Every structure is written in structure tokens, then in C-alpha cells.
Amino acid sequence: MKRTLLNRRSFTLLAAAAVAVPVLRAQGRPEKSKIAIAVGGKAAFYYLPLTISEQLGYFKAEGLDVEISDFAGGAKALQALVGGSADVVSGAYEHTINMQAKNQFIQSIVLMGRAPQIAMGVSTKAIPNYKGLADLRGKKIGVSAPGSSTNMVANLVLSRAGIKSTDVSWVGVGTSAGALAALRSGQIDAMSNTDPVMTMLEQKGDVRIISDTRTLKGTQEVFGGPMPAACFYTHGEFVKSHPNTCQGLANAIVRSLKWLQTAGPSDIIKTVPESYLLGDRALYLASFNKVREAVALDGLLPEEGARTALKALASFDPSIKADKIDLSRTFTNDFARRAKEKYKA
């Protein structure tokens, strides 16, 4: 891969990643108080800061009335934003890069996850004698939804073994009970998904994990650097015209990140909806302990993480020309910095 992949020219701009975000006067009232948020798989730990903000009233405290629509996967949530039915998406950061490659500019305003929290596993029933990635050629692989972050991670893993996306069949299975059922019933041979689903399958012996980004160490091994995950992203024009609204959203998430740093297992159980537990509290908590370090600390997206994401995407997606992507337009840390100062996160 050429050195231009990590073209330094773009990164002189990153230091000033305000990207035309207006300077907030002492934070005023949100320009738009009723906000439609799209998310792909809300019950996953990947989006836990969103749920915490909602359940503990942090959005309301910022003068925001949020309506959260849950979709099968991140690609569907992105479609809601593009189609105009959502103002903001709680989704994977890499979508900002993918969309810029299509000449559409969307921007992350606050980071929720500092590791993808996605594991890839093969069914011990469908492929009992699994020896390596070559065994997956021609197989059915479950992902939350085609085109989502779970699909991206699987593509990256397979590409390193010379397996193209077209060499396997992709099956959308969601991120909760439907995903469990799809693997256990034999509808799919392998799966790339988030927790608590993957830990539940792993602990019951249903899958053999072959790639894991649920920890910072595992993420480093898969991506070769820090990989930003869930964030709030929206159209660049929305960021410019609704700075107070974006600030309120960032404030709520940073406040939830601070809460999560000290929350105990019983706090989590009491706060999330019962349906998130998938019928097994102990396994749910075991899953949370596995991914806890993957939750962002202060909402700031590291520049190195943006570079890692671009390098990863360009390595298997020929439509993404790394030297044509201006990473400074894919995120801003301005809102998270102010939120961090406000809540001492």
C-alpha cells in the first residue's frame, strides 16, 4: 500500500478538525430539540452509551427529545439518514469514510467505542473440523446486516486469506435473538457479530472464535492500530447549522461514558431494558466484562484511529482511494472536548 495512504497533507488539517463547526456561544438552546436517531442493533454493547443516555435522562437534561429507531444493522441506519428519516445515526465511524468515497460528507461528532467489539466465529456444528479461513470459501456468513460494520470486519479478515467478498454468501441476522437462532439452526456456517451474542454462543460451545476485536489487544492485532467504533454521525451541513443540538448530543454521550467508567454489574442490569439480557443475566454480565475496555472514555476520536480505519477499508475495498479521502472532514472533536470539560470526563 502506498505511503499516500496516510497522506500527511490531510492531517495538517486534522489538528484544526473544527471543519467549519461554528464556535458555540455559551451553549444555547438546541436549534432542533426533537431529534430522530437511527441505530442498527440497539441492544448490542456496541451502543450501550446510547442506551445509558436514554435511560438515565441525559438527553432530556440537554433539552433534547430523542426518538430512537432501531434497525437490523448499521447499513440500514445509514440509509435512514441518507433518506431523511433520521437526523443522526448511532453507528460505526467507518461509514463516514465510505460515504466520502461516494462524495457524500457525513461527520462523527462524539465517539462511543474505542474498539469495534466484533468477533468472528465459525459454527462448531456446521464446520466441526475447521482448520483455517480457506474453509469459509463458499460458506454462508451471518452479519448484522450486509454493508454494516460486522460485514466490514469479516471482509477484512477474509481478504487477508485471499478470500473475496463474492466468494461467500452474506446473511443479515441482526444482533440479538435472531442471530443466536440463525447460527444454532444451521442457517449460517459462521458469523461476525457483537456482544452479548458472540459471548453467549462462545460460552455454550456453539462457535469457535477466529477473530476478536472485543478488546484493545485484539483490535490492535486485527487492525494494526486503534480502531474507532460507534459514534454519533450526521450530515456535515447539519453539524454546521445545528451546533447547539450537536453539543447537547455530545454532552449526553460523554456523561454516559463517565457513568460507565464506575458503574458496577448491578448498575448495568438495573439500567438496560430486560430484553437486552436475552434471557441470561449471568452471560450478559460476562459479555459486558469482556468488552468493557472497548467503551470510549471521553468521546474524543484519536487521529491515529481515523488513519487505521482508512487503511483497513482501503485494503479490501477498491472503491476507497485513500489519497482522495480527507479525514479531517469525517470527524470533529470540538463537541466532545467541550462536553469533557463540562462533565470532567
Side-chain angles (χ1 to χ4, degrees), residues 2-313:
K2 296 182 191 170
R3 272 274 170 216
T4 50
L5 241 175
L6 306 182
N7 191 327
R8 287 192 174 273
R9 187 179 62 80
S10 311
F11 290 97
T12 57
L13 299 171
L14 282 172
V19 191
V21 174
V23 176
L24 284 177
R25 305 145 298 263
Q27 192 191 335
R29 295 173 62 179
E31 296 83 4
K32 183 173 186 179
S33 58
K34 191 168 179 60
I35 298 294
I37 299 174
V39 60
K42 186 170 173 248
F45 284 124
Y46 193 87
Y47 299 116
L48 186 57
L50 171 67
T51 295
I52 298 302
S53 294
E54 177 191 31
Q55 296 292 319
L56 296 183
Y58 294 163
F59 291 122
K60 286 183 180 175
E62 298 294 334
L64 299 172
D65 176 13
V66 303
E67 181 181 345
I68 301 174
S69 297
D70 196 9
F71 294 86
K76 301 287 186 186
L78 172 60
Q79 286 173 15
L81 179 73
V82 173
S85 62
D87 300 303
V88 175
V89 173
S90 180
Y93 163 72
E94 66 262 16
H95 287 303
T96 66
I97 297 173
N98 279 322
M99 292 302 286
Q100 191 179 130
K102 297 171 184 173
N103 207 34
Q104 294 187 53
F105 293 87
I106 60 176
Q107 187 175 44
S108 165
I109 59 172
V110 63
L111 186 69
M112 300 182 206
R114 55 180 182 157
Q117 303 176 39
I118 294 166
M120 189 170 175
V122 297
S123 167
T124 53
K125 188 164 126 186
I127 315 177
N129 301 312
Y130 175 83
K131 293 184 175 62
L133 289 167
D135 292 344
L136 293 179
R137 199 180 296 272
K139 301 296 186 186
K140 294 178 181 175
I141 301 179
V143 293
S144 58
S148 295
S149 191
T150 51
N151 200 160
M152 182 275 293
V153 169
N155 266 327
L156 178 65
V157 172
L158 293 176
S159 70
R160 290 175 176 167
I163 301 173
K164 297 176 184 175
S165 180
T166 51
D167 293 336
V168 301
S169 297
W170 301 104
V171 181
V173 297
T175 59
S176 55
L180 294 172
L183 188 119
R184 288 171 174 161
S185 66
Q187 294 174 50
I188 54 177
D189 305 299
M191 183 155 69
S192 174
N193 220 309
T194 54
D195 267 342
V197 163
M198 294 308 290
T199 289
M200 289 182 168
L201 291 170
E202 184 182 13
Q203 292 208 358
K204 296 292 186 182
D206 295 313
V207 297
R208 173 181 169 187
I209 300 296
I210 59 172
S211 177
D212 201 343
T213 66
R214 291 174 293 184
T215 64
L216 297 179
K217 181 175 181 289
T219 298
Q220 180 75 32
E221 289 169 357
V222 172
F223 290 98
M227 180 69 180
C231 66
F232 266 159
Y233 66 72
T234 185
H235 294 290
E237 286 305 312
F238 186 91
V239 177
K240 291 177 189 174
S241 59
H242 297 77
N244 291 334
T245 302
C246 290
Q247 188 63 59
L249 290 167
N251 287 352
I253 292 301
V254 169
R255 195 174 170 189
S256 74
L257 296 177
K258 184 178 181 180
W259 184 88
L260 281 164
Q261 287 176 41
T262 56
S266 62
D267 297 316
I268 302 293
I269 291 290
K270 279 188 246 173
T271 307
V272 302
E274 182 76 23
S275 61
Y276 284 24
L277 310 182
L278 296 178
D280 195 325
R281 289 185 173 214
L283 270 180
Y284 183 85
L285 289 174
S287 304
F288 175 66
N289 287 332
K290 187 165 285 190
V291 303
R292 185 167 198 152
E293 70 173 15
V295 177
L297 299 178
D298 56 15
L300 297 172
L301 195 152
E303 293 179 13
E304 185 184 356
R307 291 193 290 267
T308 299
L310 175 58
K311 183 177 179 181
L313 290 170

